[in-house]
């Protein structure tokens, strides 16, 4: 929307100043100081833990040379990923998330929107830059432990790099928002920049984001051209700020409502709510009409209902599922060829795809009133919901297998993909089923009557268990790799591990079916035991 | 009350009566948006603009993904006219009002308010929108909200009018309370005072009677009459028969399309909204 010079900027400043004074008056300084203290302690622990992982042994001269050659591009890749995120955020109304009332009263008032938004925008830039500087400085200190020289210089270069990348992210988001960039265009642009950075890492072509990585290495050598990165970030941000008056009120209003809820859901680890809110933020809505109508009638009503939901997936979600399948295939191929930690990436891809494809089951979990009104045992209903997603997971697994075969192009890869695709797909889906059905952890309920240490461990296990199940699906890759390095045939080893992984997935479905009857039986058993103990005690009192 | 607000005129604070004869507040005419005008000039040849229209919509459409919410809608509301907007749930009333207020972006078509493109500073000065889902600042009282909104719209002489409005809607005693803590009805009343405290040429209200008690409804009807008497245009989305009888024009939407546009005399409201 068009804007004009402000009519009342001074009034706005005065009224906002009044609000700020009100907030400061009501601030609990002791609480704020305690939070700062906790943040400091946590930050220190993180630094110490990461330092201990990295160790402090000096790299060899060859290692130094390798670092100077590839380090900047690798850090530049991180900057490119941040740019892509910024562009996507901006295309959805970010990076600002003002209060809903601010949209309704201030942005609809006859004052320049740029004037109204410049304050919140500068505050966000300042905070993000500070956060980036802190993270960068920590990275600098960690680098200093391995690479030596002047610790202050490393911290300073890290802080400058972190702050510059943070400003770049906000700047890109402001530009995308101010230019009303379409989400598909922002994604395309982000992907192009990311691809460029990957090509730089591979040594094909230099990418501008590499200057940020090179800036980080200034304590080792100084290239004045690296200042182009931070200067570019500032220029992009300045352009973004100049376009503040053109932000979309529709996107801003949608975002203001959702971002607060999203932060809260993340805080309480409510994954299902995070997924729903993220979809709303991205306007990832089911199609009004399914891709095609299911023919005729079916005896299996839950199976049919599942397909009704799955066939309404929007194209964006379908694309994301295909990308996740391909991502899992690439990661697991690399894991088989020696980079074992990438099994974690493969498992996460499979788990994230699972969270999308169990949507019909998730909808049932979201609507307990509907489910409870059906004259059917809850477990009996829920486990039937696993059927349609299992078929989709298998199809996605086949897509992943095709990608893996296309990458490796060997007979062995075809055989391995045929053995591995189902365990990976179904264990990822099983992990997603576990996290959705268990819901958000409730510390007071889950830890009732347990000592704090046990309650904490139980909570941690409960949080990690879905991912562990997804990770079990990648066991065939790990065992195949081990068999190969030991000079054995990888396929039989993978098949054995695959059967074990499929059993875990089957146990999950059984858990879904018999969870509530088992709980009821256990509760009754405990109550009977307690009653018997009370009866014995009463009998003893009677006799005495 | 913790601070001294002006009392509603002609009454005690506890038993507020109707406000003194309202004085038409000068509408804040903001500097015209040069870039908005430039954009309007660049736009493809538009349908002919009617003169003296406070709201003009031509070919206005809105789609959510593959779901059409509003089919191409042509609507002109002359200055000083009061219109009731009716339609069944999902007919497009709220979508239309939010597009006219500048909160939703049309998929196609044009909306102009008092001759200015929707969203421009001048259009924002001309239109006041009261949503059916009020939102408030968490850290401002009712009185502070009124000050904030009034002064953002260039009104310095807002205090007496604020007190009168609060008195009429029975909110005077709650002026220092936070509206985020209010019930549905009180929130609705607060939103109405915020919509009315500022100058405007056109008032858009979405379902204002929902959640109001009998006295609140009576007070609102009176306030709407006063608004009309002041010469402002009025578009109210409601099925409240008492209000329908008070206005001369009715616009009915059905499935996002214009189903009726004419006089309210003898119309079958239930038939139009079913």
């Amino acid at each position: 929307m068009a804007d004009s010079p402000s009519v009342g900027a001074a009034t706005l400043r005065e009224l906002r100043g009044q609000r700020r004074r009100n907030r400061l008056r009501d601030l609990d300084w002791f609480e704020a100081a305690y939070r700062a203290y906790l943040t400091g302690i946590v930050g220190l622990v993180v630094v110490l833990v990461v330092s201990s992982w990295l160790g402090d042994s000096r790299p060899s001269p060859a290692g130094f040379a390798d670092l100077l050659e590839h380090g900047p591009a690798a850090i530049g890749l991180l900057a490119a990923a941040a740019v892509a995120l910024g562009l996507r955020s901006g295309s959805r109304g970010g990076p600002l998330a003002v209060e809903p009332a601010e949209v309704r009263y201030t942005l609809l008032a006859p004052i320049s929107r740029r004037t109204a938004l410049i304050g919140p925008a500068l505050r966000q830039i300042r905070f993000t830059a500070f956060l980036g500087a802190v993270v960068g400085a920590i990275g600098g200190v960690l680098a200093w432990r391995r690479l030596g020289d002047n610790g202050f210089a490393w911290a300073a270069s890290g802080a400058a790099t972190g702050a510059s990348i943070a400003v770049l992210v906000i700047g890109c988001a402001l530009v995308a928002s101010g230019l009303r960039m379409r989400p598909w265009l922002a994604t395309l642009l982000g992907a192009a920049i990311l691809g460029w950075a990957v090509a730089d890492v591979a040594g094909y072509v230099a990418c501008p984001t590499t200057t940020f990585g090179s800036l980080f290495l200034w304590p080792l050598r100084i290239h004045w051209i690296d200042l182009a990165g931070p200067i570019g970030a500032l220029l992009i941000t300045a352009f973004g700020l100049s376009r503040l008056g053109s932000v979309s009120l529709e996107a801003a209003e949608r975002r203001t409502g959702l971002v607060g809820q999203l932060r809260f859901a993340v805080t309480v680890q409510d994954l299902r709510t995070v997924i729903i809110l993220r979809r709303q933020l991205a306007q990832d809505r089911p199609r009004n009409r399914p891709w095609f109508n299911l023919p005729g009638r079916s005896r299996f009503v839950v199976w049919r209902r599942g397909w009704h939901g799955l066939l309404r997936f929007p194209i964006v979600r379908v694309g994301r599922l295909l990308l996740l399948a391909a991502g899992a295939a690439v990661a697991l191929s690399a894991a088989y060829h020696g980079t074992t930690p990438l099994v974690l990436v493969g498992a996460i891809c499979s788990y994230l795809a699972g969270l999308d494809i169990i949507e019909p089951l998730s909808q049932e979990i979201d609507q307990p009133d509907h489910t409870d009104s059906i004259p059917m045992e809850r477990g009996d209903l829920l486990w039937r919901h696993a059927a349609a997603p299992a078929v989709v997971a298998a199809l996605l697994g086949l897509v992943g297998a095709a990608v893996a075969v296309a990458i490796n192009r060997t007979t062995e890869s075809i055989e391995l993909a045929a053995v591995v695709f189902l365990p990976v797909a179904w264990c990822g889906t099983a992990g997603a089923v576990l996290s959705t059905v268990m819901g958000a952890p409730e510390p007071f309920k889950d830890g009732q009557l347990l000592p704090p240490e046990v309650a904490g461990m139980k909570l941690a296990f409960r949080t990690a268990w879905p991912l562990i199940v997804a990770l079990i699906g990648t066991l065939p890759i790990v065992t195949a790799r081990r068999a190969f390095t030991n000079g054995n045939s990888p396929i039989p080893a993978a098949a054995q591990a695959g059967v074990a992984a499929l059993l875990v997935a089957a146990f999950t479905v059984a858990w879904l079916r018999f969870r509530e009857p088992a709980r009821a039986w256990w509760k009754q058993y405990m109550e009977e035991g307690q009653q018997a103990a009370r009866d014995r005690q009463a009998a003893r009192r009677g006799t005495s | 009350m913790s601070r001294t607000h002006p009392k509603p005129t002609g009454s005690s604070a506890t038993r507020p009566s109707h406000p003194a004869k309202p004085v038409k507040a000068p509408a804040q005419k903001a500097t015209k948006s040069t870039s908005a005008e430039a954009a309007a000039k660049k736009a493809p040849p538009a349908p002919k603009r009617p003169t003296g229209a406070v709201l003009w919509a031509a070919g206005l459409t809105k789609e959510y993904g593959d779901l059409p919410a509003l089919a191409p809608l042509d609507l002109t509301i002359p200055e000083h006219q009061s219109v009731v907007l009716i339609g069944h749930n999902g007919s497009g009333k709220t979508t239309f009002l939010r597009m006219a207020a500048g909160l939703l972006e049309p998929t196609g078509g044009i909306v102009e308010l008092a001759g200015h493109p929707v969203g421009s500073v001048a259009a924002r000065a001309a239109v006041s929108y009261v949503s059916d889902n009020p939102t408030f600042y968490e850290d401002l009282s009712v009185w502070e909200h009124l000050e904030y909104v009034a002064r953002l719209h260039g009104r310095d002489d807002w205090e007496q009018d604020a007190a009168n409005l609060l008195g009429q809607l029975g909110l005077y005693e709650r002026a220092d309370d936070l509206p985020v803590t209010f019930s549905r009805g009180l929130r609705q009343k607060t939103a109405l005072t915020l919509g009315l405290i500022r100058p405007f040429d056109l008032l858009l209200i979405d379902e204002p009677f929902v959640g109001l008690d009998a006295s609140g409804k009576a007070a609102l009807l009176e306030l709407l009459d006063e608004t009309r008497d002041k010469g402002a245009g009025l578009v109210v989305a409601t099925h409240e028969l008492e209000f329908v009888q008070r206005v001369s024009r009715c616009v009915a939407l059905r499935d996002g399309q214009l189903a009726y546009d004419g006089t309210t005399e003898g119309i079958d409201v239930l038939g139009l909204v079913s």
Side-chain angles (χ1 to χ4, degrees):
Chain A
M1 292 295 161
D3 230 340
S4 84
S6 77
V7 182
T11 313
L12 184 63
R13 264 198 303 277
E14 186 200 325
L15 291 166
R16 278 189 172 157
Q18 199 177 313
R19 283 190 66 201
R20 202 163 36 246
R21 283 192 292 279
N22 283 352
R23 276 201 298 272
L24 284 175
R25 192 189 57 210
D26 297 337
L27 187 67
D28 184 342
W29 289 101
F30 183 76
E31 174 75 18
Y34 182 63
R35 280 187 194 174
Y37 164 76
L38 278 185
T39 310
I41 292 281
V42 170
L44 197 66
V45 169
V46 168
V47 172
L48 290 175
V49 169
V50 178
S51 308
S52 64
W53 283 348
L54 288 175
D56 50 10
S57 59
R58 294 291 169 90
S60 62
F64 256 111
D66 198 39
L67 176 75
L68 285 174
E69 193 183 342
H70 298 295
I75 298 171
L77 184 61
L78 285 178
V83 166
L85 280 177
L87 286 171
R88 274 173 64 81
S89 163
S91 69
R92 295 167 181 175
L96 300 179
V98 291
E99 294 165 83
E102 191 80 349
V103 177
R104 205 57 74 73
Y105 302 116
T106 309
L107 298 184
L108 278 186
I111 57 170
S112 156
R113 284 188 185 147
R114 188 175 175 278
T115 306
L117 290 173
I118 192 90
L122 289 176
R123 272 197 298 279
Q124 182 151 1
I125 291 170
R126 202 171 55 204
F127 175 74
T128 315
F130 171 73
L131 207 65
V134 170
V135 173
I138 290 173
V141 171
L142 295 174
W144 167 59
R145 279 178 59 101
R146 290 292 307 271
L147 304 170
D149 253 10
N150 186 343
F152 179 76
W154 275 110
S157 71
T161 308
S164 308
I165 293 174
V167 170
L168 179 70
V169 173
I170 297 285
C172 288
L174 286 172
V175 169
S177 167
L179 294 176
R180 305 280 186 98
M181 203 176 275
R182 297 268 180 194
W184 65 265
L185 182 60
T187 306
L188 200 68
L189 209 56
I193 292 169
L194 209 53
W196 193 356
V198 169
D200 194 351
V201 172
Y204 291 117
V205 59
C207 177
T209 54
T210 299
T211 54
F212 293 99
S214 189
L215 181 68
F216 185 76
L217 296 181
W218 266 30
L220 297 179
R221 86 278 176 277
I222 292 175
H223 289 162
W224 291 106
I225 189 73
D226 298 339
L227 290 177
I231 292 170
L234 286 174
L235 288 175
I236 288 171
T237 307
F239 178 64
L241 287 174
S242 75
R243 300 287 307 174
L244 262 182
S246 305
V247 295
S248 157
L249 237 57
E250 185 175 341
E253 198 181 34
R254 186 172 53 237
R255 189 176 168 82
T256 56
L258 294 173
V259 167
Q261 295 175 47
L262 196 59
R263 283 181 190 146
F264 181 72
V266 170
T267 311
V268 297
Q269 299 175 34
D270 188 349
L271 188 62
R272 176 65 187 157
T273 309
V274 169
I275 291 169
I276 291 172
L277 292 171
R278 201 206 63 79
R279 281 184 192 156
Q280 288 178 18
L281 205 58
Q283 292 185 278
D284 178 353
R285 278 189 285 257
R287 289 165 59 82
N288 198 34
R289 299 267 179 275
W291 287 100
F292 56 86
N293 288 317
L294 291 176
R297 287 183 173 193
S298 168
R299 226 162 33 88
F300 305 107
V301 65
V302 180
W303 161 264
R304 193 172 164 82
R305 182 259 172 269
W307 283 107
H308 279 150
L310 293 166
L311 287 172
R312 281 195 166 80
F313 274 15
I315 187 77
V316 178
R317 213 180 297 175
V318 175
R320 185 169 62 235
L321 286 173
L322 293 174
L323 273 178
L324 285 170
V330 172
L332 293 177
S333 291
Y336 180 67
H337 288 106
T339 320
T340 314
L342 283 178
V343 291
L344 188 61
V345 176
I348 290 173
C349 286
S350 159
Y351 171 69
L352 291 177
L355 286 172
D356 263 336
I357 58 182
I358 60 160
E359 187 59 23
L361 172 68
S362 306
Q363 289 286 337
E364 206 67 64
I365 302 288
D366 290 347
Q367 322 284 343
D369 292 352
H370 287 196
T371 312
D372 292 343
S373 68
I374 297 170
M376 192 177 193
E377 207 178 302
R378 194 174 160 82
D380 194 16
L381 178 71
L382 293 184
W383 87 292
R384 288 165 198 249
H385 271 296
V391 175
V392 177
L395 291 173
L396 276 178
L398 279 175
V399 172
V403 172
V405 169
I407 293 170
N408 297 293
R409 298 181 185 203
T410 58
T411 318
E412 188 191 54
S413 70
I414 297 173
E415 290 170 357
L416 194 58
V419 172
V420 162
F421 86 96
L422 217 48
V424 172
W426 281 357
C427 281
T429 309
V433 166
L434 282 168
S435 61
T436 302
V437 175
M438 286 195 297
E442 294 176 52
F444 294 109
K445 187 180 162 195
D446 295 340
Q448 224 173 18
L449 302 177
L450 291 174
E453 297 80 10
V454 180
M457 280 181 66
K458 189 182 169 195
L459 202 64
F461 180 75
R462 185 194 155 113
T463 307
W465 180 237
L467 260 180
I468 293 172
V469 169
L471 204 55
I472 287 171
T474 63
L475 274 181
I477 289 287
V478 179
T479 50
R481 170 74 195 163
R482 177 166 287 180
F484 179 75
T485 46
N486 290 341
N488 300 323
S489 172
I491 308 302
Q496 280 177 4
V499 170
L502 287 176
L503 275 175
V504 171
F507 277 133
T508 306
V509 177
W511 169 82
L512 197 60
R513 170 66 184 87
F514 297 108
R515 176 176 171 243
E516 293 199 0
R519 272 185 170 183
W521 173 82
W522 178 249
K523 195 179 169 191
Q524 193 187 350
Y525 177 75
M526 293 301 285
E527 280 172 0
E528 282 174 3
Q530 284 167 354
Q531 185 59 45
R534 277 197 294 271
D535 290 347
R536 275 198 302 275
Q537 215 169 10
R540 245 182 266 133
R541 276 198 201 118
T543 50
S544 63
Chain B
M1 295 181 61
S2 61
R3 72 171 92 181
T4 50
H5 308 313
K7 292 184 177 178
T9 49
S11 75
S12 70
T14 48
R15 291 195 61 219
S17 70
H18 307 310
K21 188 170 174 60
V23 180
K24 190 178 179 192
Q28 168 91 21
K29 291 297 175 191
T31 314
K32 286 186 180 175
S33 163
T34 47
S35 51
E37 284 172 1
K41 278 176 194 164
K42 279 181 200 168
K48 199 180 172 196
R49 289 166 173 75
T51 51
V54 71
L55 186 150
W56 176 59
L60 190 64
T61 57
K62 181 69 184 176
E63 286 167 10
Y64 295 105
D66 55 347
L67 186 71
L70 201 66
L73 177 73
D74 299 315
L75 190 68
T76 303
I77 297 176
E79 285 174 358
H80 319 306
Q81 191 176 59
S82 297
V83 177
V84 62
L85 184 63
I86 60 174
H88 60 75
N89 295 342
S91 60
K93 303 187 296 291
T94 299
T95 300
F96 170 71
L97 288 181
R98 287 172 64 80
M99 278 198 288
L103 281 169
L104 276 185
E105 283 155 26
T107 309
I110 308 165
V111 193
E112 283 189 4
L113 297 155
H116 308 287
V118 69
S120 64
V121 174
R124 280 184 255 155
V127 68
S128 178
Y129 170 64
V130 181
S131 161
D132 61 335
N133 176 27
T135 53
F136 305 103
Y137 293 100
E138 286 184 8
D139 57 345
L140 291 186
S141 67
V142 174
W143 190 257
E144 287 162 343
H145 268 90
L146 285 163
E147 179 190 3
Y148 188 73
V149 173
R151 291 189 56 200
L152 278 186
H153 287 78
R155 281 201 68 185
D156 291 325
D157 55 338
W158 57 277
E159 290 177 284
Q160 187 59 56
D161 281 353
N164 292 352
L165 276 171
L166 292 176
Q168 271 184 284
L169 285 166
L171 275 178
Y172 187 74
E173 291 300 316
R174 308 292 304 268
D176 284 327
D177 293 341
L178 299 174
V180 283
T181 62
F182 284 179
S183 67
R184 172 83 175 89
L186 289 182
R187 289 167 69 93
Q188 186 71 12
K189 287 178 179 177
T190 309
L192 288 165
T193 60
L194 295 177
L196 292 167
I197 192 64
R198 42 153 300 185
F200 52 83
D201 295 330
L202 175 68
L203 178 63
L204 306 171
I205 319 188
D206 198 357
E207 301 287 4
F209 296 98
V210 175
L212 292 188
D213 51 24
S215 63
K217 280 183 186 177
L220 176 59
L221 284 168
E222 202 163 335
L223 281 170
L224 294 177
D225 285 347
E226 285 168 16
T227 304
R228 193 176 47 194
D229 293 345
K230 283 183 198 173
L234 203 58
V235 179
V236 183
T238 184
H239 300 148
E240 190 74 19
L241 287 174
E242 210 174 328
F243 181 76
V244 176
Q245 288 158 5
R246 288 177 183 230
V247 296
S248 55
R249 184 177 172 193
C250 173
V251 171
L253 296 176
R254 179 173 290 156
D255 298 330
Q257 293 184 329
L258 192 64
Y260 176 83
D261 183 2
T263 175
T264 52
E265 263 181 51
I267 61 161
D268 174 16
V269 173
L270 290 177
L272 285 170
V273 300
S274 60

